[in-house]
Amino acid sequence: MVRALAAGRLLLVLIALFPSTSLAQTPAAVLPQDVRSTAATLQKEALAGTKAYDIVRSLTVEVGPRPAGSKAYDAAVEWGLRTLKSLGFSNVHAEKATVPHWVRGAESGEILAPYRQPVHLAALGGSIGTPEEGIEAEVVEVPSLDAVDKLDPAQVQGKIVFYDVHMERQKDGSGYGRAVPVRGAGASRAAKLGAVAVLIRSIGTDNNRTPHTGGMRYQEGVRQIPAAALSNPDADLLAAEIASGKPVTFRLKLGARALPEVETASVVGEIPGREKPEEIVLLGAHLDSWDLGTGAIDDGAGVAIMVEAARRIGQLPQKPRRTIRVVLYANEEFGLSGARAYVEAHKDELARHVMAGESDFGSGRVWRIASRVDPAKLPVVADLAKLLGVEQGKNDAGGGADLGPLAPAHVPVIALAQDGTYYFDYHHTANDTLDKINPKDLDQNVAAWAAVAYTVADMPGDLGRAPEGEGRE
Amino acid sequence: MVRALAAGRLLLVLIALFPSTSLAQTPAAVLPQDVRSTAATLQKEALAGTKAYDIVRSLTVEVGPRPAGSKAYDAAVEWGLRTLKSLGFSNVHAEKATVPHWVRGAESGEILAPYRQPVHLAALGGSIGTPEEGIEAEVVEVPSLDAVDKLDPAQVQGKIVFYDVHMERQKDGSGYGRAVPVRGAGASRAAKLGAVAVLIRSIGTDNNRTPHTGGMRYQEGVRQIPAAALSNPDADLLAAEIASGKPVTFRLKLGARALPEVETASVVGEIPGREKPEEIVLLGAHLDSWDLGTGAIDDGAGVAIMVEAARRIGQLPQKPRRTIRVVLYANEEFGLSGARAYVEAHKDELARHVMAGESDFGSGRVWRIASRVDPAKLPVVADLAKLLGVEQGKNDAGGGADLGPLAPAHVPVIALAQDGTYYFDYHHTANDTLDKINPKDLDQNVAAWAAVAYTVADMPGDLGRAPEGEGRE
């Protein structure tokens, strides 16, 4: 008692001395003690070890690569239904989504002159193929997307444009946003000037001979030309041959083609709420992957994190007031088909979605919580930040690509930023495999999401409605 | 003067107090001051920056992959002759060597059951191919080379044996020696028991989807079966499918085949000695590479280090007494053809080879000097260790695979151990590319070899003759 009084006096003295410190400004906790305490227990227990690694191992070993439209993706849907049922989820079901079906086919590339060397490349998702004999043309190099517009069409006509844009390594992955426009828009921008094909340096931070694929889009009314990414060492090689000053010629062969759209599905399962089951806390991840790797970090990790976080909440002696709904989206990578179908199918209940979160950035540790909630509710986010022991970010979070279509309904978003320092070494490559996941980091993600989802599902109030806009990625 | 006296007295006191310390035992330097001083200058100047990176860039960009017997290897010989001449070497010439000509062809692998997944693999060098339709068989896993012998032939008959041997990461690369026997001998050991093919986990320390090739050998009188290495993530995947307890089947397609032997050459150039040009300090590296990468660390780095070390000695105002001879060996990887041809062609002058050294372990920094010299001459090695600022190793160094054939002639060996912590992440893979080389580390190697080669070429005495035996790698 004496010690407590002394500590109280000390606190007053400190506040008097440092009126502008965070100590003085910290608002009182807004979450009730019982909610905080259960959330903290969920967190602590998850940090001691979870099933998440087993879940992502099962998905990567038993299904593996599962691009939109493929038979393997259908196997992933079966896996999702089977897994959620066996883990005790309620209302497990598939929700229809129509997805594009693009296939890679055989592909190869070779620098023909001045120094003949084979290279490692991968067609960008959505690219058309080349004629069977390939395309042979001289290469013209540009350092950026905008630089291509400044070229004289005479320099580009009949040539292959090589975009040599380097992506920077950043913890928050922000180098991706700066580098990636060349992947989506590079082909049409070059085609306008008469180019016959496009090569890009991989949008990735590694120096492995594993090229990074990813979606691209053709601009309407512009001639479609094939587009592929060179691995970074191969981009270095092509740049070095160009630096020799001699004309560089290249042969590109892509077997890529689009097949008819496919009817497939997202997978949904729930932990029903005990008092307000009609109010939904949505935990999302995407079930599809690119075709090159086994989709461990993109997005097997997210699937495992969200399924395991919800499962652990479902194991509590008392379920939270609201429903936790896990949505494993179809085709995030290639047009958000599952996310759009979800919004259409659930439009009548979107107003009762009290929160949405997505895990789609690998398995790096959570280091920040951001949000897009009613600004009046930010003290709840501050409480969650303290609970998780992480920084509080801005209130403009997008939260994940699959959450974009929820934005017009003003569904509040919680985003847990993960350490993405190494994510783009492996993202969209053959190297996206199980060994890239650290099970302890995965558990830390489960702990954070379980604590957040439980809190928002059980707390007396809610997060209001999100402000206008989609927020930032 | 007073200070010097005081220091001298302190030294005497220290020697009296610690009679067994290295301080007391350090022998007086045996190398003349002028030799030491020139060697130190060579070293210091090389550390400030050399042409070595330009040399390995030129080899990897202008020639690239150059396996024994290929047209690209012939281009490498032309490159070597051109480069040595342009760098001012004397007596630049090709020396005939007859080499095997193994080609990879198209290759692929797929786990068919229980969970169908494509894998990344590479035929081992020297493997036969499969029939065009491939080999489909059940997989049996063994944890080591010796474990296969303990299997009942009934368990192996008609199956594919998968050797799941993990290589450990070590600075000195010693994990390689422990893991690699399975690559050379695994196929025949399994074939004896009736296996139809062999898969090994890559002999490498990475987790990239870039399988590690390397030489294998068939035992005489044993049926030849195809052999390939899975990348480490793919070995994990196969092991995980096997761990499911369900029967695992695999389809292996290898287009590998042996073509007729090819007449080609090693490349030699010299910095002639000023007093005893008939006495030779041999600096070796190998000009061939595996076919998957551009041969940057194996052994473009060694070529660049040795060529540049010798070139810098050649630029001195006064050449050393003895001749520095750079030998860029043909076909180290696939049977030491160039090294054997060299010994045959030069047998009459091997007694006048006063030293041989090889650089064939990438571009990691030199951290130890080892030797195989007349034990009476070890003080010279101790002096060199001090000059380089590195540890002194044992007197049982092999010095490099290409130096093995020199051993019966008792040619003294100096070996500079390089930091191999990351070497086996890339060794014998498509990932062996220029970006894996740090130019400053390469310069440090040049500095060390220039100092060593100059010293041995210019010092009054020599290193005697090497003891019996080939030493250790």
Side-chain angles (χ1 to χ4, degrees):
Chain A
M1 182 67 104
V2 173
R3 289 176 66 88
L5 271 177
R9 271 185 218 128
L10 177 61
L11 187 63
L12 289 174
V13 171
L14 283 171
I15 290 170
L17 284 171
F18 305 105
S20 66
T21 60
S22 60
L23 179 63
Q25 289 189 325
T26 299
V30 293
L31 293 170
Q33 186 50 42
D34 62 329
V35 174
R36 278 184 67 89
S37 157
T38 303
T41 303
L42 274 167
Q43 194 187 3
K44 187 180 146 195
E45 289 179 357
L47 288 173
T50 79
K51 283 183 191 290
Y53 191 76
D54 289 343
I55 294 170
V56 63
R57 174 163 50 203
S58 163
L59 179 56
T60 54
V61 171
E62 296 170 27
V63 180
R66 47 196 181 279
S70 67
K71 288 217 168 88
Y73 182 77
D74 288 340
V77 171
E78 292 306 314
W79 175 91
L81 295 170
R82 190 169 75 232
T83 299
L84 291 184
K85 281 176 193 161
S86 75
L87 293 175
F89 281 76
S90 299
N91 190 21
V92 175
H93 63 283
E95 296 200 0
K96 242 193 253 177
T98 305
V99 304
H101 188 196
W102 175 85
V103 293
R104 178 172 303 282
E107 55 193 11
S108 65
E110 194 174 10
I111 305 172
L112 301 174
Y115 310 113
R116 189 167 193 142
Q117 294 216 37
V119 298
H120 292 237
L121 54 73
L124 298 181
S127 173
I128 62 166
T130 64
E132 207 175 328
E133 68 279 14
I135 290 176
E136 272 187 42
E138 199 175 323
V139 178
V140 54
E141 184 185 32
V142 289
S144 70
L145 185 56
D146 290 339
V148 79
D149 298 336
K150 291 171 194 141
L151 292 180
D152 182 341
Q155 294 173 271
V156 179
Q157 186 67 41
K159 301 211 176 126
I160 295 172
V161 168
F162 167 43
Y163 290 100
D164 194 11
V165 177
H166 291 251
M167 178 181 163
E168 279 171 58
R169 188 184 295 282
Q170 304 282 357
K171 183 179 178 183
D172 66 1
S174 56
Y176 186 65
R178 287 190 291 275
V180 78
V182 76
R183 191 184 76 204
S188 291
R189 295 275 280 271
K192 281 182 195 169
L193 298 170
V196 293
V198 154
L199 296 171
I200 67 168
R201 176 182 283 276
S202 276
I203 310 299
T205 45
D206 59 301
N207 64 348
N208 289 313
R209 224 125 173 231
T210 45
H212 295 240
T213 189
M216 58 84 66
R217 222 171 292 159
Y218 291 113
Q219 199 178 316
E220 216 153 311
V222 177
R223 195 168 44 91
Q224 301 192 349
I225 60 174
L230 296 171
S231 86
N232 284 323
D234 290 288
D236 292 345
L237 180 62
L238 182 55
E241 295 217 16
I242 290 168
S244 75
K246 298 173 184 161
V248 173
T249 55
F250 193 95
R251 183 195 294 134
L252 177 67
K253 289 189 188 180
L254 301 184
R257 63 194 194 284
L259 301 177
E261 286 190 334
V262 172
E263 279 278 307
T264 182
S266 300
V267 172
V268 176
E270 294 181 345
I271 308 298
R274 73 173 195 278
E275 276 184 24
K276 300 177 172 178
E278 74 286 1
E279 294 192 3
I280 308 295
V281 170
L282 187 157
L283 298 185
H286 66 85
L287 192 52
D288 64 308
S289 76
W290 280 101
D291 57 330
L292 297 172
T294 62
I297 62 169
D298 187 15
D299 183 27
V303 167
I305 289 164
M306 292 312 211
V307 167
E308 175 64 359
R311 186 192 73 83
R312 298 180 79 87
I313 295 171
Q315 298 284 305
L316 291 171
Q318 179 174 272
K319 305 276 186 296
R321 291 184 172 87
R322 301 179 182 88
T323 293
I324 311 278
R325 179 180 290 170
V326 171
V327 183
L328 307 181
Y329 290 102
N331 186 36
E332 182 271 344
E333 296 292 2
F334 218 66
L336 306 177
S337 313
R340 293 185 209 282
Y342 179 89
V343 166
E344 182 58 27
H346 295 268
K347 56 183 172 222
D348 295 340
E349 60 171 4
L350 294 184
R352 298 194 304 271
H353 280 55
V354 300
M355 184 202 114
E358 182 168 27
S359 178
D360 182 20
F361 199 58
S363 58
R365 298 175 77 81
V366 172
W367 62 280
R368 185 173 64 191
I369 183 171
S371 57
R372 193 155 40 81
V373 302
D374 180 343
K377 305 292 185 160
L378 282 171
V380 175
V381 182
D383 257 23
L384 286 170
K386 270 181 279 173
L387 183 70
L388 304 185
V390 300
E391 291 175 27
Q392 183 175 1
K394 295 189 183 165
N395 196 41
D396 67 350
D402 288 310
L403 305 189
L406 296 170
H410 300 276
V411 175
V413 166
I414 294 291
L416 299 184
Q418 294 174 268
D419 186 333
T421 308
Y422 302 105
Y423 183 63
F424 292 103
D425 288 354
Y426 308 119
H427 177 251
H428 294 187
T429 73
N431 243 343
D432 178 359
T433 47
L434 184 62
D435 50 283
K436 308 309 180 302
I437 294 179
N438 177 327
K440 298 309 290 175
D441 292 351
L442 206 61
D443 291 343
Q444 190 257 7
N445 278 269
V446 171
W449 277 112
V452 167
Y454 173 79
T455 300
V456 178
D458 200 57
M459 69 187 190
D462 61 24
L463 297 170
R465 301 308 292 170
E468 205 62 44
E470 287 207 6
R472 302 213 270 172
E473 195 46 49
Chain B
M1 182 65 107
V2 173
R3 288 176 65 90
L5 271 176
R9 272 187 216 126
L10 178 63
L11 187 66
L12 288 174
V13 170
L14 282 169
I15 292 172
L17 285 170
F18 306 104
S20 66
T21 60
S22 61
L23 179 64
Q25 288 189 328
T26 299
V30 294
L31 293 170
Q33 186 50 40
D34 63 329
V35 175
R36 278 184 67 91
S37 157
T38 303
T41 302
L42 274 167
Q43 194 186 5
K44 188 180 146 195
E45 289 178 357
L47 288 173
T50 79
K51 284 183 191 289
Y53 191 76
D54 289 341
I55 294 170
V56 63
R57 175 164 49 204
S58 163
L59 178 57
T60 55
V61 171
E62 296 170 27
V63 181
R66 47 196 182 279
S70 67
K71 289 218 168 88
Y73 182 77
D74 287 338
V77 171
E78 291 307 312
W79 175 92
L81 296 170
R82 191 169 73 232
T83 300
L84 291 183
K85 280 176 194 162
S86 75
L87 292 175
F89 281 77
S90 299
N91 191 20
V92 175
H93 63 283
E95 296 201 0
K96 241 194 254 177
T98 305
V99 304
H101 188 197
W102 175 86
V103 292
R104 178 173 301 282
E107 56 194 12
S108 65
E110 193 175 10
I111 304 173
L112 300 174
Y115 309 113
R116 189 165 193 142
Q117 293 216 37
V119 297
H120 293 237
L121 54 73
L124 299 182
S127 173
I128 62 166
T130 63
E132 207 175 329
E133 69 278 15
I135 289 176
E136 271 187 43
E138 199 176 322
V139 178
V140 54
E141 184 186 32
V142 289
S144 70
L145 185 56
D146 290 339
V148 79
D149 298 335
K150 290 170 193 141
L151 292 180
D152 182 341
Q155 293 172 272
V156 180
Q157 186 67 41
K159 300 208 176 128
I160 295 171
V161 168
F162 166 44
Y163 290 100
D164 194 10
V165 178
H166 292 251
M167 178 182 164
E168 280 171 58
R169 188 184 295 282
Q170 304 282 358
K171 183 179 179 184
D172 66 0
S174 56
Y176 186 66
R178 288 190 291 275
V180 78
V182 76
R183 192 184 75 204
S188 291
R189 295 277 279 271
K192 281 182 194 168
L193 298 169
V196 293
V198 154
L199 297 170
I200 67 168
R201 176 182 283 276
S202 276
I203 309 299
T205 45
D206 59 302
N207 65 347
N208 290 313
R209 223 124 174 231
T210 45
H212 294 240
T213 190
M216 58 87 64
R217 222 170 292 159
Y218 291 113
Q219 198 178 318
E220 216 154 311
V222 177
R223 195 168 44 91
Q224 300 191 350
I225 60 174
L230 296 170
S231 85
N232 285 321
D234 290 288
D236 291 346
L237 181 62
L238 182 56
E241 295 218 15
I242 290 167
S244 74
K246 298 173 185 160
V248 173
T249 55
F250 193 95
R251 183 195 292 134
L252 177 67
K253 289 188 188 180
L254 300 184
R257 63 196 194 283
L259 301 177
E261 285 187 335
V262 172
E263 280 278 308
T264 182
S266 300
V267 171
V268 177
E270 295 181 344
I271 307 297
R274 73 173 195 277
E275 276 184 24
K276 300 177 173 180
E278 73 287 1
E279 294 192 4
I280 309 294
V281 170
L282 188 156
L283 298 184
H286 66 85
L287 192 52
D288 64 308
S289 77
W290 280 101
D291 57 331
L292 297 171
T294 62
I297 61 168
D298 189 14
D299 184 26
V303 167
I305 290 163
M306 292 312 212
V307 167
E308 175 64 358
R311 186 193 72 83
R312 297 180 79 88
I313 295 170
Q315 298 284 305
L316 290 171
Q318 178 175 270
K319 305 276 188 298
R321 292 185 172 86
R322 301 180 182 87
T323 292
I324 311 277
R325 178 180 291 170
V326 170
V327 183
L328 307 180
Y329 290 103
N331 186 36
E332 183 271 345
E333 296 292 2
F334 218 66
L336 306 178
S337 314
R340 292 184 209 285
Y342 180 89
V343 166
E344 182 58 28
H346 295 268
K347 58 184 174 224
D348 295 340
E349 61 171 5
L350 295 184
R352 297 194 305 271
H353 280 53
V354 299
M355 184 202 114
E358 183 167 27
S359 177
D360 181 20
F361 199 59
S363 57
R365 297 175 77 82
V366 172
W367 61 280
R368 186 173 64 192
I369 183 171
S371 57
R372 193 154 41 79
V373 302
D374 180 342
K377 305 292 185 156
L378 282 171
V380 176
V381 182
D383 257 21
L384 286 169
K386 270 180 281 176
L387 183 69
L388 304 184
V390 300
E391 292 176 26
Q392 183 176 359
K394 295 188 182 166
N395 196 40
D396 67 350
D402 287 310
L403 304 189
L406 295 171
H410 301 274
V411 175
V413 166
I414 294 290
L416 299 184
Q418 292 173 271
D419 187 333
T421 307
Y422 301 105
Y423 183 64
F424 291 104
D425 288 353
Y426 308 118
H427 176 252
H428 293 188
T429 73
N431 244 342
D432 178 359
T433 47
L434 184 63
D435 50 283
K436 308 309 180 300
I437 294 178
N438 177 327
K440 297 310 290 175
D441 292 351
L442 205 61
D443 291 342
Q444 190 257 10
N445 276 269
V446 171
W449 277 113
V452 166
Y454 173 80
T455 300
V456 177
D458 201 57
M459 68 188 190
D462 61 24
L463 296 169
R465 301 308 292 169
E468 204 63 44
E470 286 207 8
R472 303 213 270 171
E473 194 45 49

